[in-house]
Amino acid sequence: MTDDAPELRASDADRERVAEVLREALAEGRLDMAEFEERLDATYSARTYGELAPITRDLPVGTVAAPEVSMTKEPAAGEWAGRITGGEGSSSWAVAVMSGFERKGRWTVPRRFNSLAFWGGGDIDLREANFADGEVVINCVAIMGGIDVIVPPGIEVIVRGVGVMGDFDHRESGVPGDPGAPRVIVTGFAFWGGVGVRRKLTRAEKLRIREERRQEKLERKAARRELRSSLGESRDDLTEAHRRMLDGHRDMLREHRDERREQRELRREERDRRRRGED
């Protein structure tokens, strides 16, 4: 492994690649069972590339390489390039007076979008939107009402709004965006109301991630079956039991994180409804 970015977070796929190297080394007799179990524990506990690197460094199969990371923002490319369309926006303003408004789906965000909620509420959803420019401004004014701005992961958000006896959410401000992604500047003020800025995946993206996890589980099962055919039954029984324990622990942690995230979203939505006076 190179030492260019040892502090970068490792993914589940990176850990699984290291685990596969260890399984091959065990089958070839390069590691005994005690060494294999010790290194497998370290693999699934590793959080960064720097922690993964030493695990396979003395094995001839290879090492885990950290991805190359550019510290400069590259020109727009891929999906984001197709979503920065230029021209005019499909909607430039929205008003809710004792009512509500909604902008979502495939719409084009103009260079400046103005919104007002007075005794009402509004949702501005950018997850599937196109953008008239690489930098857009969304101006939100919430007076005894609430406005939610929903952005997808990868977009840089800068929040410059203020709350006067109200709340203007700055938690997503300053999070770096993907190379080529648009920048969204949220301005305005909240008076006896609130403006929320949240990141959420699209439904399609949630389904894609769920399918990827399902495929990973199937691949792990296939790898275990292959390992059983190459090792003796007694050794394989110990390895299988240990791996099942680790897989169950990882699944439990993932489900716990997902449950906590859903609970936070439910609490946030409940606060938003109370803020808008919907209850």
Side-chain angles (χ1 to χ4, degrees), residues 83-120:
R83 292 177 63 175
I84 301 176
T85 59
E88 300 296 327
S90 55
S91 177
S92 61
W93 60 275
V95 174
V97 178
M98 292 184 288
S99 61
F101 69 80
E102 191 175 67
R103 296 291 184 273
K104 69 176 185 178
R106 283 290 182 180
W107 66 295
T108 301
V109 185
R111 291 176 177 81
R112 184 178 180 87
F113 183 86
N114 294 304
S115 60
L116 168 67
F118 178 72
W119 278 16

Side-chain angles (χ1 to χ4, degrees), residues 31-104:
L31 297 175
D32 60 29
M33 183 58 68
E35 290 174 319
F36 172 75
E37 292 182 350
E38 180 181 356
R39 295 194 189 198
L40 195 64
D41 284 337
T43 297
Y44 287 127
S45 299
R47 296 182 178 275
T48 66
Y49 287 103
E51 294 173 352
L52 279 179
I55 297 173
T56 57
R57 185 165 285 162
D58 60 346
L59 298 176
V61 181
T63 57
V64 180
E68 294 184 4
V69 178
S70 172
M71 302 306 292
T72 60
K73 199 160 187 174
E74 303 294 336
E79 177 193 0
W80 292 119
R83 292 177 63 175
I84 301 176
T85 59
E88 300 296 327
S90 55
S91 177
S92 61
W93 60 275
V95 174
V97 178
M98 292 184 288
S99 61
F101 69 80
E102 191 175 67
R103 296 291 184 273
K104 69 176 185 178

